[in-house]
Amino acid sequence: ALALRVCLSMAAYGAIVPEGDDAAMAAYGGIVHEGDDAGATTPLFSSDESSARGGSPSHSRSTSKFRRAALAASLLGVAGLAGYHYSGGALRDDTTHDMMATTTADAEEGDQYRPDANQRSKPGSVEEAFSGLMLRFDAMNADYEDELVGQGYPFITPGLVVEPFKDTKLTASPQGETETDELVSCQWSVKQVTGLEESSVYKADHATHKHEGVSVTHRFSSPGTHNVTVACLVEDTTTLERSTYEVAYEVDCLYVRRELRDLIPEDRNAFLDAFQTLTAVPTAEGQELYGEEYHDLDYFVNLHLTGASIRNTDWLHDGMGVLTQHASVTVRLELALQAINRSVTIPFWDYTRDSVQAKLYDGGDPATIFTSDFWADTFGLTDGVTHRISTGRFANQTVGVANMSDPSACHSAYGYARAPWNLNPSSYVTRYHKVCGISPDAVYSWPTCTNHFDLTFNYTTWYDWVWDVSYTPHGPVHLFIGGMGGSCNQMDLSPWLTEHEEKMFKYMMFAMQKNLWRSYAIEFPKYCTQDNSDECTIRCNTDNELTFVGALWDQMAGMMRLNTTEMEKFNNETIMEIAHASFCGRAPYAGDHLESSSPTEASFWPIHPTIDRLYQYKQLVAPFQEDVWDLDDEVPGQMYCIYSMQGGCMGHHAGDLCFTESISRVNGTYEKSYYTNYEMRTAMTPATYSLPYIYNDFEWDHCAQVTNATFPPVGDK
């Protein structure tokens, strides 16, 4: 087992690095110049507690909530935990809902997790739910009466889904053989029946609510199951005979995520205003005002920043944990927003709509979105000179400042809550929308309907799907928003590269810079000030020139997509000349959306629910033929993450804990806990669903305008 050490961050989880890593414990793999003390390494877990085989659970069948909490507390004391692989891995048994929790450990099949398929299901329509009865009722959000929420989810009856802290319209109607019945009056009773335990993350409603009328409005106040009973006096308008009928049904109260542009203005403003509060109110003050679930934006930025800025690995990206790790932190931020406004959910941003808009009306240029009314009203326009947010509620938003007295705080050289490789001297949230002065669309395609269709219907294994989902289907959105600037805007590589090669170099510079840092080919200053910014530049580790040249040669060949023959023209001297023109003594840097501090932007948060929604849709219409997470050692080329040789891919195995708490339904009650990647994926899967939110629809009707790829309705396979 690896000997591990933990770097505790003021507002982040412990960074675990393998013994012998020269990264400074105080900076999560920040710049370590010769002579720096890396600190002592201390094993955190005994060899029998951590699995040497990536992600495979042992035959131990359970890890208690209390053990997880103790582990988290012992590691962090403050915020969250990632990367710890525990050997249990049993899920929870939820007999009330649909998250059957047992797992099997079958040594002959590689100890793969196998969720129990015996899940609860509900009728697929209101008609089916009240079949054979003389009375029925419907429930709908009064602000979205045209929606039929819940289609596709097996544990939900569409038309009988309610939302917390939203006005719900309950309407009774007669049904049966006669068409002459008319409702005279109705008496309603509403009572929450699950989620009443003290362990619930949501405050339970113990009252019984009474209403009178054929159609009434009720505001549900807690996710869970609620019993709705209605008794109506029915009159036959032909015979004038009167009868009383009564029906009862357990409706599901869940948060509903909708597309940003489909929200009514009040709901969109509620989300944005709550997010703005996170940027302005520190955690301590916010918890006094809003309760213990409140955390400010810096808390979430630091969580993401630390996990993605470790020198030897990335716990959140470039690996198999990308979907579940981001889903987990999104749920956690959603809970903080709900501490401010209990009706808020994080919407999803279906950026395939923007690709259709660009193709039909904007000459194919997706960058026009950044001057659109939608972008201006939602996230604010960008100043073309200062690259700050210049309009709207987020105008002149600044990034967080690290606590420089805390040696474990992760930060840029200027002391900002940015990645160690970001030399941006500005304290303002920065957007370039271009890469080194050129539009990114020549190489990077804004995610299209075809991308999402292909990911849904042309991938049969979980392994292939999860590896590709973080790139073309969603990654370019971050690049188009953040972009890259600094010294690379003036960079001229024409003496050595063709026009196409130079463009490719610029397009991939953000990735090459990070990779060269992770391979110790380049270093960044530990501390810089505004008055010495000209000296705050990259130092190339050229003491061993062959090693440095080999590192940059590899990056150019891979990132610029050049074959061996094309690379033959670059000898050692040429590679060094290119290095000095691009990296050595230079200061190129990415916009905030394209690096580890990306959660500082409000537009970051609706991006990943789009992929969450796409995963759910795929599982409904074209489920994986193979959903194994643990890899077969006999299959060459498979890996959990791209940094497998340096950092062990912590955060990307099935049994690794997500780096922040999430919420899952346990025996009918929504509880907050740390969940493994596998548990999180199980909770997100419609057949075994246990999260407190759903998506309002799985429709891509706009795609029919530009492609023949038709997304079938859920239920049609």
Side-chain angles (χ1 to χ4, degrees):
L2 293 174
L4 305 174
R5 70 168 180 259
V6 65
C7 303
L8 297 181
S9 172
M10 175 181 67
Y13 53 83
I16 301 174
V17 294
E19 184 177 13
D21 193 308
D22 291 328
M25 179 173 67
Y28 294 100
I31 305 310
V32 182
H33 296 304
E34 188 173 355
D36 283 338
D37 181 10
T41 60
T42 304
L44 295 177
F45 309 103
S46 62
S47 58
D48 62 347
E49 283 186 290
S50 62
S51 172
R53 184 171 183 271
S56 296
S58 75
H59 288 279
S60 172
R61 296 286 296 276
S62 66
T63 294
S64 72
K65 170 184 175 183
F66 304 102
R67 180 172 177 235
R68 298 177 196 217
L71 286 168
S74 66
L75 279 171
L76 312 164
V78 241
L81 169 69
Y84 170 62
H85 172 79
Y86 74 92
S87 59
L91 304 183
R92 306 295 181 79
D93 183 359
D94 184 349
T95 55
T96 304
H97 195 49
D98 59 18
M99 187 178 176
M100 276 305 287
T102 57
T103 61
T104 62
D106 186 343
E108 294 182 356
E109 294 189 23
D111 287 350
Q112 301 299 340
Y113 299 92
R114 302 293 181 194
D116 193 308
N118 183 23
Q119 307 300 337
R120 188 189 70 161
S121 62
K122 276 193 171 183
S125 66
V126 175
E127 291 76 13
E128 184 181 347
F130 295 104
S131 176
L133 303 177
M134 301 298 292
L135 187 65
R136 58 172 275 181
F137 68 84
D138 298 80
M140 65 182 66
N141 185 320
D143 293 322
Y144 301 92
E145 293 189 3
D146 293 335
E147 291 184 346
L148 186 60
V149 174
Q151 295 183 86
Y153 292 99
F155 63 94
I156 287 177
T157 298
L160 292 171
V161 181
V162 299
E163 301 175 51
F165 304 102
K166 300 284 189 181
D167 286 340
T168 300
K169 187 176 180 181
L170 300 171
T171 303
S173 56
Q175 63 176 19
E177 297 180 358
T178 175
E179 298 180 358
T180 59
D181 287 347
E182 185 177 279
L183 301 186
V184 178
S185 62
C186 298
Q187 303 290 329
W188 298 81
S189 174
V190 181
K191 184 172 179 58
Q192 185 173 348
V193 294
T194 69
L196 303 175
E197 291 76 9
E198 292 185 3
S199 60
S200 175
V201 72
Y202 304 109
K203 184 178 180 180
D205 182 0
H206 293 274
T208 300
H209 301 272
K210 303 289 186 179
H211 301 282
E212 183 173 348
V214 173
S215 182
V216 300
T217 299
H218 180 74
R219 178 163 288 200
F220 294 83
S221 61
S222 181
T225 303
H226 296 250
N227 182 278
V228 177
T229 302
V230 58
C232 295
L233 182 63
V234 182
E235 181 178 84
D236 186 320
T237 56
T238 301
T239 65
L240 302 183
E241 293 181 358
R242 291 188 171 189
S243 304
T244 299
Y245 298 105
E246 179 178 302
V247 294
Y249 198 80
E250 291 186 347
V251 301
D252 293 287
C253 183
L254 294 150
Y255 284 100
V256 177
R257 292 181 177 177
R258 295 177 170 86
E259 212 278 340
L260 264 170
R261 285 157 287 200
D262 292 341
L263 294 173
I264 61 172
E266 292 80 2
D267 287 348
R268 184 166 54 252
N269 287 330
F271 161 65
L272 296 170
D273 290 344
F275 189 87
Q276 187 177 20
T277 299
L278 298 186
T279 70
V281 180
T283 294
E285 181 183 344
Q287 290 184 344
E288 289 285 335
L289 293 171
Y290 307 115
E292 63 181 10
E293 301 301 347
Y294 179 89
H295 289 280
D296 61 23
L297 183 60
D298 286 347
Y299 171 86
F300 294 99
V301 172
N302 282 327
L303 281 174
H304 189 273
L305 174 65
T306 308
S309 298
I310 304 167
R311 184 82 184 249
N312 67 327
T313 192
D314 185 327
W315 284 348
L316 315 178
H317 309 95
D318 299 318
M320 294 181 68
V322 63
L323 175 74
T324 47
Q325 293 283 5
H326 284 89
S328 176
V329 72
T330 302
V331 170
R332 190 61 188 85
L333 181 113
E334 196 167 54
L335 188 61
L337 295 174
Q338 289 161 357
I340 303 165
N341 184 334
R342 292 183 293 180
S343 71
V344 167
T345 57
I346 295 179
F348 67 93
W349 172 13
D350 185 358
Y351 22 84
T352 65
R353 290 192 186 185
D354 305 294
S355 71
V356 172
Q357 169 74 22
K359 188 169 184 176
L360 292 178
Y361 306 108
D362 301 321
D365 182 8
T368 55
I369 184 179
F370 304 123
T371 57
S372 67
D373 291 342
F374 156 67
W375 186 263
D377 294 343
T378 308
F379 302 120
L381 299 175
T382 307
D383 185 280
V385 177
T386 65
H387 307 291
R388 302 176 188 174
I389 304 173
S390 59
T391 66
R393 52 170 55 79
F394 301 115
N396 296 314
Q397 180 186 354
T398 56
V399 296
V401 177
N403 180 3
M404 300 302 285
S405 65
D406 179 0
S408 68
C410 188
H411 57 81
S412 72
Y414 287 95
Y416 299 128
R418 288 185 171 122
W421 60 83
N422 192 327
L423 294 179
N424 185 355
S426 174
S427 63
Y428 294 95
V429 173
T430 301
R431 303 171 179 163
Y432 285 103
H433 302 310
K434 292 185 177 181
V435 181
C436 301
I438 55 179
S439 175
D441 63 350
V443 170
Y444 294 99
S445 168
W446 184 273
T448 66
C449 293
T450 301
N451 296 147
H452 285 203
F453 182 90
D454 180 59
L455 201 65
T456 301
F457 297 102
N458 294 327
Y459 284 69
T460 60
T461 71
W462 159 252
Y463 178 84
D464 291 334
W465 188 94
V466 76
W467 262 108
D468 285 3
V469 73
S470 65
Y471 298 114
T472 302
H474 113 277
V477 179
H478 294 289
L479 186 140
F480 272 84
I481 298 173
M484 191 157 184
S487 65
C488 78
N489 284 335
Q490 294 79 42
M491 181 174 64
D492 180 13
L493 301 180
S494 60
W496 311 280
L497 303 180
T498 66
E499 181 179 357
H500 173 72
E501 289 170 346
E502 183 172 16
K503 284 185 177 180
M504 288 298 297
F505 192 103
K506 290 181 177 181
Y507 289 140
M508 300 308 301
M509 198 168 181
F510 77 95
M512 289 195 287
Q513 177 175 274
K514 178 174 61 174
N515 292 342
L516 289 170
W517 174 71
R518 283 206 159 107
S519 65
Y520 294 89
I522 61 176
E523 304 287 356
F524 292 83
K526 284 187 174 180
Y527 304 104
C528 294
T529 59
Q530 298 293 337
D531 57 5
N532 80 333
S533 59
D534 291 342
E535 302 172 12
C536 193
T537 59
I538 296 171
R539 176 170 68 82
C540 294
N541 288 332
T542 56
D543 295 340
N544 187 330
E545 185 173 301
L546 289 178
T547 300
F548 176 82
V549 167
L552 183 53
W553 194 97
D554 288 342
Q555 287 299 309
M556 289 174 60
M559 294 295 178
M560 296 167 62
R561 305 169 192 172
L562 300 177
N563 59 39
T564 303
T565 301
E566 292 170 316
M567 289 295 296
E568 285 178 351
K569 65 179 179 180
F570 302 117
N571 57 32
N572 290 3
E573 182 180 353
T574 303
I575 292 290
M576 288 304 304
E577 290 173 347
I578 293 172
H580 283 288
S582 56
F583 293 113
C584 309
R586 309 287 179 172
Y589 45 81
D592 290 296
H593 224 294
L594 192 56
E595 62 111 275
S596 307
S597 63
S598 49
T600 197
E601 285 241 41
S603 57
F604 168 89
W605 295 95
I607 288 177
H608 297 97
T610 305
I611 299 303
D612 176 356
R613 173 175 175 254
L614 191 65
Y615 167 78
Q616 293 188 27
Y617 177 69
K618 174 170 179 56
Q619 290 290 62
L620 288 169
V621 299
F624 297 112
Q625 296 176 20
E626 181 182 287
D627 64 357
V628 173
W629 196 309
D630 292 350
L631 303 184
D632 188 341
D633 296 335
E634 303 300 320
V635 178
Q638 288 195 338
M639 55 187 178
Y640 291 102
C641 75
I642 66 173
Y643 305 109
S644 57
M645 299 303 293
Q646 298 112 296
C649 290
M650 298 297 261
H652 296 284
H653 305 96
D656 289 349
L657 291 178
C658 292
F659 72 103
T660 186
E661 296 165 296
S662 188
I663 302 170
S664 182
R665 182 164 168 156
V666 180
N667 294 322
T669 298
Y670 288 103
E671 297 183 356
K672 183 176 64 174
S673 183
Y674 289 95
Y675 296 98
T676 67
N677 280 322
Y678 184 84
E679 289 176 325
M680 196 67 197
R681 190 187 72 173
T682 301
M684 297 166 64
T685 302
T688 52
Y689 204 80
S690 62
L691 297 176
Y693 65 87
I694 59 173
Y695 292 94
N696 67 322
D697 68 42
F698 296 101
E699 297 176 359
W700 284 263
D701 294 344
H702 56 280
C703 292
Q705 301 177 70
V706 295
T707 178
N708 293 326
T710 302
F711 291 78
V714 288
D716 294 350
K717 295 186 179 181

